[in-house]
Amino acid sequence: QGTQSPGVQRQYCGALGKIGNCQVAVSSALIADGRTWPLAFDLYLPTSWTGDPARCAAAGIPPTVRFREKWRIALAQVRTVLQAGFTLTGVVVDADYGTNAAFRAGLERLGLAYGVAIRGEAVFTVPDVAGAASAIALADSAPADVWETITWGAGTAGPLTAQFLALRVRPTAGRGDRWLLCERSATDVRKYYLLHLPATTPLVDLVALARTVRSRW
């Protein structure tokens, strides 16, 4: 609260689901065998802080601390985890990170698979199809018979089931083909994911990794 807590300002708060006066952290967790272990937790310092040395000094923030975008903090956490000897099957993040081409490229340089949430407005080209189209447009134009119903888990109200469609696409900001996974619930709520996995990956495996994004909490 207030103005003196390190990193505090009006910014988007995931806990509130809206903009509020708050502190924000970038965190990573290891998900394995149905359990989750916190791995890293770094305070995000906006430029309103890093650009004000007197304010930082008053809050006890060392003068060596410089501004870093959230995606750069997240990549640094991933590198630290790898250096600690962990083997990662894949990295999952929400759309704030997944839509960032530089973040995805950083994961690829580390040789990592990923399944990231993206926004439907993300644009792709499709092999043998002229022009580019958004994830929303590609899902809307897909024939009804290519969607497959998959159950990926169990919830308090019963099986967790939705319809899925996977397409090989090429992001306009990036190199190489990736998997675009589109999800459609029984109430027609749409979700979209981009996956860096082999072209031979079965749909059920794409869903298994992508849905970890949604269940990460």
Side-chain angles (χ1 to χ4, degrees):
Q1 296 296 325
T3 60
Q4 299 181 47
S5 302
V8 70
Q9 72 167 19
R10 285 190 58 77
Q11 55 193 323
Y12 181 79
C13 174
L16 298 175
K18 61 181 181 180
I19 292 177
N21 193 56
C22 63
Q23 294 164 300
V24 170
V26 178
S27 61
S28 299
L30 178 69
I31 303 172
D33 299 326
R35 300 177 182 179
T36 304
W37 291 266
L39 293 176
F41 196 92
D42 287 293
L43 182 67
Y44 168 70
L45 291 176
T47 54
S48 63
W49 278 84
T50 56
D52 189 340
R55 188 184 192 190
C56 287
I61 299 171
T64 54
V65 175
R66 298 290 184 266
F67 173 74
R68 289 191 300 167
E69 295 93 337
K70 294 174 188 174
W71 68 268
R72 294 187 189 276
I73 297 174
L75 272 182
Q77 292 182 359
V78 173
R79 285 193 292 267
T80 299
V81 170
L82 292 173
Q83 290 165 3
F86 287 90
T87 298
L88 301 181
T89 302
V91 175
V92 294
V93 296
D94 61 27
D96 285 340
Y97 296 87
T99 304
N100 188 307
F103 176 76
R104 299 196 307 265
L107 294 179
E108 292 168 15
R109 284 194 295 271
L110 293 172
L112 294 172
Y114 58 71
V116 301
I118 60 172
R119 297 184 177 89
E121 293 76 17
V123 176
F124 307 95
T125 58
V126 181
D128 303 322
V129 176
S134 68
I136 293 173
L138 291 171
D140 288 346
S141 63
D145 60 359
V146 300
W147 291 84
E148 295 188 37
T149 301
I150 293 179
T151 298
W152 71 85
T156 55
L160 300 175
T161 302
Q163 290 186 313
F164 293 90
L165 163 69
L167 301 169
R168 291 295 284 177
V169 300
R170 178 164 296 184
T172 54
R175 297 179 179 179
D177 294 341
R178 303 288 178 262
W179 281 109
L180 170 64
L181 182 68
C182 309
E183 176 183 340
R184 183 172 66 186
S185 71
T187 56
D188 203 31
V189 174
R190 306 291 182 95
K191 296 172 183 175
Y192 304 93
Y193 312 88
L194 193 66
L195 296 100
H196 180 36
L197 288 171
T200 55
T201 304
L203 179 60
V204 291
D205 291 345
L206 298 176
V207 173
L209 182 60
R211 284 304 311 183
T212 308
V213 179
R214 299 294 173 183
S215 63
R216 68 193 186 285
W217 301 118

